[in-house]
Amino acid sequence: MVRKKKFCWCVSVLMGIAMALLVTGPAAGAEKYPSREIELMVPWSAGGATDVVFRTFAAVVPKYLGANIIIVNRPGGGAVPGYAEAMKKKNDGYYTLAWATPSLTKVHMSVTPYDHKTFDPVIMVVHNPCWILVPENSPYKNLKDYVAAAKANPNKISLANAGAGGGYHLVALAFESDLGLEFVHVPYKGGGPSIVATVAKQVESVMCSPPEGFPQVKSGELRALGVFSKKRLKDFPDLPTGEEQGVKFYMGMWRGVAVPKGTAPAKIKKLHDAFKATMKDPEFLKLADKAGFLLEYKNTKDFGKFVEEQNQYYMNLIKKKKLGDRYK
């Protein structure tokens, strides 16, 4: 009888220990990440280059991330409202944002509530050269025609951009400054609206970068005058670079993913690895090629260094050209 009681007592103790281990062990309370959908904020309108890039990623990333990516657009104000809103979001790994060139240009054009250190980088995924597009019936057939007309008619040719103080606006300002030109700059609430306005002939030209304007150039609604890169675009082998036309000007737009400051490194790594795997996925590569954006990978550390370098570059450029009002 005593032995039976001892046996029952031992079994009870062992079961208690096992239950305690299950409850208080290393895996207890550990969050499965991600366990729900993740928001990715794009501070520009739907249809713009950045929006197209991340909607394309969102179609394939779940395969490697294990959760859906929901794109939320917050356009207007040179991306300031979108990034200002992002500053207030939780750093729990379920909020991410499109981190792109205009995020740096705007902070040096005027005072903003954020700077290049406000968010933590995750991964860089795209780097596209800028190009100038005009309506299909434009008198400008190439960059030579366009530049010659702008020199002969200062402050006459309208040049659209995706937002005052944004990346394309700054590229346009740098373009006119480097070549001694003067344009009528027309800002829109994102790349998509600026393309629509150019197709509708509300403006004479637009500064943007692939994939913006890609479908319209292919369909003949818009004409590309030249691309500001060292090499021609694969999808437009007959389109000469600016350098080939005597215009030595090189600028482009990079795009990547960032998160609110203080997001756990393990979650950043999970996001990074999913986006990196997507960049190699055959299905995604077909979609990216069709959309016309150029992939360029930088890991979390290298992306952070790149952002620092870009920030310094744009700060120096804006000060030198006396653009905006921040440094006046």
Side-chain angles (χ1 to χ4, degrees), residues 277-291:
T278 301
M279 292 175 75
K280 300 177 182 178
D281 183 274
E283 176 191 356
F284 172 77
L285 290 174
K286 288 181 181 178
L287 293 173
D289 186 59
K290 184 178 180 180

Side-chain angles (χ1 to χ4, degrees), residues 145-293:
D145 293 344
Y146 186 76
V147 170
K151 284 185 177 179
N153 302 279
N155 280 313
K156 295 294 183 181
I157 299 176
S158 54
L159 180 57
N161 62 66
Y168 293 134
H169 184 202
L170 190 59
V171 171
L173 290 170
F175 177 68
E176 70 171 9
S177 180
D178 282 10
L179 276 71
L181 309 173
E182 292 180 46
F183 295 98
V184 177
H185 297 277
V186 184
Y188 286 87
K189 292 183 178 180
S194 72
I195 294 295
V196 171
T198 309
V199 171
K201 304 178 180 62
Q202 295 173 6
V203 288
E204 295 172 85
S205 56
V206 60
M207 179 71 78
C208 56
S209 71
E212 284 172 335
F214 218 81
Q216 292 82 1
V217 173
K218 283 194 170 183
S219 69
E221 293 178 285
L222 294 179
R223 179 188 305 127
L225 300 182
V227 58
F228 301 126
S229 60
K230 293 286 186 179
K231 297 180 179 180
R232 294 189 179 194
L233 296 174
K234 183 183 69 174
D235 288 272
F236 298 95
D238 296 328
L239 175 65
T241 64
E243 185 176 12
E244 289 178 293
Q245 301 180 64
V247 181
K248 293 186 178 181
F249 179 79
Y250 316 95
M251 287 191 99
M253 296 287 116
W254 51 264
R255 298 172 176 91
V257 181
V259 290
K261 200 76 175 178
T263 299
K267 292 181 178 180
I268 290 178
K269 184 178 186 304
K270 178 75 173 180
L271 290 166
H272 165 274
D273 292 351
F275 273 88
K276 182 181 179 182
T278 301
M279 292 175 75
K280 300 177 182 178
D281 183 274
E283 176 191 356
F284 172 77
L285 290 174
K286 288 181 181 178
L287 293 173
D289 186 59
K290 184 178 180 180
F293 54 81

Side-chain angles (χ1 to χ4, degrees), residues 9-26 28:
W9 178 82
C10 289
V11 170
S12 297
V13 170
L14 289 172
M15 289 180 67
I17 292 173
M19 290 299 294
L21 287 173
L22 285 173
V23 174
T24 63

